């Protein structure tokens, strides 16, 4: 065997060295750290995991909460979520470790999904509100709530005398995380006027009052209570007040919500209702003259909150009871309605009543509801509003509290005697109720409400038998593509009633 020369040996070593270098050692990353990412990538309920679902139910972000609607037949106490998170992250649902394919209870309160990064150094929390409902309706409600920053909403829709959809959305109390139900009490604002009208009509049917009785002066129902009564005041009747045709506040900055009328001078202490009325009478001793028309009693429509404060005093004087007692005992109890009241301040909030969240510096709790009881004092629920409508709907399925003649009088547009837009051509208001909307509600009588911290609307008995209520525990002053908050309330309630026809 020939000996390798030095040159050949060097060449062989070079080849072997190259071969050795071509074999990769296992990769070792020096200083690798666990991930700090803690994100929820996906959350939904899928049909393959959940009976009662026909399609995947995904979350809709609304005011910082993830809201999920599942069909009515789905069982909220045993829903199986599908969840994806950052690589290596750990997930819990209300403190329970998440396990794919496992069911969790989403039936009460707010569920917290917590994601902890692989490193354990970062935690993210996501809050979910899951409910049964109609996704088409709920999407619109959540968009409305987001656009107008409304924490809580309640909606009830009725066909004939049967409630066909009734849901709470969002929070009745943000601080305590209490979710809205359709039995939560909301301030009704001017929907209170329909309750006052029912009290008056009840007294009429009891034979204790006539609609064309005068209210002030020696022959008036409230004789002797007020000074500064002029012949103009003496001509005002109960019917004028119900139809907003007294003219008592025409040309004035609404005394019911004007501190110079409502409060003791230099304080934030509300005056009694009689003082508010007295101050209004003194400020309006003669009919208002706008230069083209004198706004005497019965002439034209001029919306008046104080007019309904006067009416609630009429109820008290004629019945001999305080307003709330007469309302409850003579009007609501015969209907089986037990959880409707006159509201109060935050410290007087009832256990199942919403908290009211004002916007743009307004203070909803500055409104003294007992003093404004007939105009804006009622607190009730959307379910109770629907029940009430069954007793005043001219339908025999539930016996009405009032005669057909009384209901027709209440629902017939008042015949104003004056001229102009709000005179003889105005056919939009009866006794306590709006009606004949040019586009919406299909012939229903309806009314909305507007005070700080509250927005409300209800409509009773369209031509197709639909009724509904839509109420909120906040009032916004901005607009979206559809218009103001009230514009949206009107359009949406009309759509929802048609949706469930």
């Amino acid at each position: 065997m020939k000996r390798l020369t030095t040159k050949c040996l060097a060449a062989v070593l070079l080849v072997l060295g190259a071969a050795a270098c071509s074999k990769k050692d296992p990769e070792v990353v020096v200083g690798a750290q666990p991930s700090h990412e803690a994100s929820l990538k996906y959350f939904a309920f899928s049909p393959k995991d959940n009976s009662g679902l026909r399609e995947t139910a995904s979350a809709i972000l609304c005011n910082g909460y993830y809201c999920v609607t599942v069909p009515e037949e789905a069982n909220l106490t045993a829903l199986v979520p599908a969840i994806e998170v950052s690589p290596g992250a750990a997930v819990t649902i209300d403190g329970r470790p998440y396990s794919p394919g496992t069911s969790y209870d989403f039936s009460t309160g707010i569920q917290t999904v917590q994601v902890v990064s692989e490193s354990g150094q970062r935690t993210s929390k996501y809050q979910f509100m899951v409910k049964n409902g109609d996704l088409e309706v709920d999407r619109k409600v959540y968009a409305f709530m987001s656009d107008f920053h409304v924490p809580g909403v309640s909606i009830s829709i009725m066909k004939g005398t049967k409630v066909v959809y009734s849901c709470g959305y969002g929070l009745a109390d943000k601080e305590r995380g209490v979710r809205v139900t359709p039995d939560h009490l909301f301030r009704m604002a001017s929907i209170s006027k329909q309750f006052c009208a029912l009290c008056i009509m009840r007294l009429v049917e009891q034979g204790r009052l006539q609609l064309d009785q005068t209210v002030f002066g020696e022959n008036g129902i409230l004789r002797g209570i007020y000074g500064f009564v002029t012949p103009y005041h003496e001509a005002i009747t109960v019917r004028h007040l119900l139809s907003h045709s007294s003219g008592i506040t025409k040309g004035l900055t609404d005394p019911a919500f004007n501190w110079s009328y409502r409060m003791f001078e230099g304080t934030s202490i509300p005056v009694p209702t009689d003082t508010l009325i007295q101050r209004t009478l003194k400020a309006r001793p003669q009919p208002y003259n706008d230069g083209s028309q004198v706004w005497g009693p019965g002439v034209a429509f001029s919306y008046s909150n104080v007019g309904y404060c006067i009416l609630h005093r009429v109820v008290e004087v004629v019945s001999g009871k305080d307003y709330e007692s007469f309302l409850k005992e003579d009007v609501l109890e015969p209907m089986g309605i037990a959880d409707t009241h006159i509201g109060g301040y935050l410290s007087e909030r009832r256990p199942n009543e919403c908290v009211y969240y004002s916007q743009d510096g307004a203070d909803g709790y500055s409104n003294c509801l007992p003093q404004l009881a007939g105009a804006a004092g009622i607190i009730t629920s959307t379910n109770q509003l629907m029940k009430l409508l069954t007793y005043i709907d001219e339908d025999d399925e539930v016996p009405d509290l009032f005669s057909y003649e009384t209901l027709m009088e209440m629902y017939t547009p008042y015949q104003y005697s004056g001229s102009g837009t709000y005179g003889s051509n105005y056919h939009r208001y009866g006794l306590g109720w709006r009606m004949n909307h040019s586009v919406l509600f299909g012939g229903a009588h309806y009314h909305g409400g507007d005070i700080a911290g509250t927005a409300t609307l209800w409509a009773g008995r369209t031509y197709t038998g639909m009724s509904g209520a839509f109420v909120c525990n906040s009032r916004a002053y901005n607009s979206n593509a559809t218009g103001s908050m009230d514009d949206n309330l009107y359009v949406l309630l009309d759509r929802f009633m048609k949706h469930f026809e």
Side-chain angles (χ1 to χ4, degrees), residues 200-263:
I200 293 293
M201 303 311 277
R202 188 69 164 154
L203 288 169
V204 169
E205 288 214 331
Q206 291 174 347
R208 305 164 73 180
L209 180 67
Q210 294 178 357
L211 292 176
D212 294 315
Q213 276 185 264
T214 56
V215 176
F216 301 107
E218 289 302 314
N219 298 316
I221 298 165
L222 304 182
R223 58 186 170 275
I225 298 177
Y226 308 102
F228 302 101
V229 173
T230 69
Y232 157 59
H233 301 138
E234 291 177 351
I236 295 172
T237 66
V238 173
R239 192 187 299 272
H240 293 145
L241 295 170
L242 284 170
S243 60
H244 294 287
S245 65
S246 71
I248 191 71
T249 53
K250 178 66 179 175
L252 300 177
T253 302
D254 190 346
F257 296 97
N258 182 328
W259 277 45
S260 65
Y261 292 87
R262 285 176 50 198
M263 305 296 178

Side-chain angles (χ1 to χ4, degrees), residues 195 324 327-328 332 337-342 378-380 384:
F195 286 78
E324 185 172 19
L327 171 66
K328 289 183 174 183
L332 300 179
I337 296 173
D339 197 17
T340 293
H341 316 276
I342 302 301
I378 293 293
I379 59 171
T380 191
Q384 289 183 101

Side-chain angles (χ1 to χ4, degrees), residues 90-379:
V91 186
T92 59
I93 300 175
D94 285 342
R96 286 179 58 195
Y98 167 66
S99 177
T102 301
S103 65
Y104 297 82
D105 185 355
F106 288 88
S107 64
T108 58
I110 301 168
Q111 284 68 50
T112 299
V113 175
Q114 181 171 283
V115 182
V116 180
S117 67
E118 184 182 27
S119 67
Q121 294 184 15
R122 183 169 296 172
T123 299
S124 298
K125 292 183 179 180
Y126 303 82
Q127 292 188 301
F128 283 80
M129 290 189 276
V130 183
K131 65 180 283 294
N132 298 108
D134 183 299
L135 183 57
E136 184 178 340
V137 169
D138 289 7
R139 279 196 184 112
K140 291 181 174 66
V141 175
Y142 290 131
F144 168 86
M145 293 172 67
S146 294
D147 286 348
F148 296 104
H149 314 293
V150 177
V153 160
S154 179
I155 293 174
S156 293
I157 307 294
M158 184 168 65
K159 186 170 187 176
T161 60
K162 181 182 179 182
V163 174
V164 294
Y165 197 69
S166 182
C167 279
Y169 300 81
L171 297 172
D173 183 339
K174 293 196 299 184
E175 291 71 27
R176 293 175 175 82
V178 178
R179 290 179 61 176
V180 174
T181 74
D183 293 315
H184 263 100
L185 303 180
F186 285 72
R187 288 183 173 182
M188 289 294 121
S190 285
I191 286 177
S192 303
K193 292 178 175 66
Q194 292 82 76
F195 286 78
C196 188
L198 294 177
C199 288
I200 293 293
M201 303 311 277
R202 188 69 164 154
L203 288 169
V204 169
E205 288 214 331
Q206 291 174 347
R208 305 164 73 180
L209 180 67
Q210 294 178 357
L211 292 176
D212 294 315
Q213 276 185 264
T214 56
V215 176
F216 301 107
E218 289 302 314
N219 298 316
I221 298 165
L222 304 182
R223 58 186 170 275
I225 298 177
Y226 308 102
F228 302 101
V229 173
T230 69
Y232 157 59
H233 301 138
E234 291 177 351
I236 295 172
T237 66
V238 173
R239 192 187 299 272
H240 293 145
L241 295 170
L242 284 170
S243 60
H244 294 287
S245 65
S246 71
I248 191 71
T249 53
K250 178 66 179 175
L252 300 177
T253 302
D254 190 346
F257 296 97
N258 182 328
W259 277 45
S260 65
Y261 292 87
R262 285 176 50 198
M263 305 296 178
F264 285 106
E265 187 175 355
T267 77
S268 57
I269 301 171
V271 299
T273 304
D274 280 341
T275 303
L276 171 64
I277 295 169
Q278 182 66 82
R279 289 176 174 179
T280 305
L281 293 174
K282 189 173 181 180
R284 172 61 67 236
Q286 302 295 331
Y288 180 73
N289 188 339
D290 66 5
S292 61
Q293 180 170 266
V294 177
W295 290 67
V299 169
F301 176 87
S302 175
Y303 196 84
S304 175
N305 285 295
V306 169
Y308 274 75
C309 294
I310 296 169
L311 286 171
H312 105 232
R313 287 293 288 123
V314 167
V315 171
E316 291 181 327
V317 169
V318 173
S319 71
K321 300 179 180 180
D322 67 87
Y323 177 75
E324 185 172 19
S325 294
F326 182 81
L327 171 66
K328 289 183 174 183
E329 294 168 9
D330 290 63
V331 178
L332 300 179
E333 284 182 13
M335 301 179 184
I337 296 173
D339 197 17
T340 293
H341 316 276
I342 302 301
Y345 293 109
L346 180 60
S347 61
E348 300 167 307
R349 185 170 68 94
R350 291 177 177 267
N352 63 330
E353 183 184 357
C354 289
V355 175
Y356 307 101
Y357 298 94
S358 302
Q359 300 186 33
D360 291 356
D363 180 7
Y365 286 101
S366 68
N367 293 310
C368 41
L369 298 193
Q371 288 83 350
L372 304 175
I378 293 293
I379 59 171

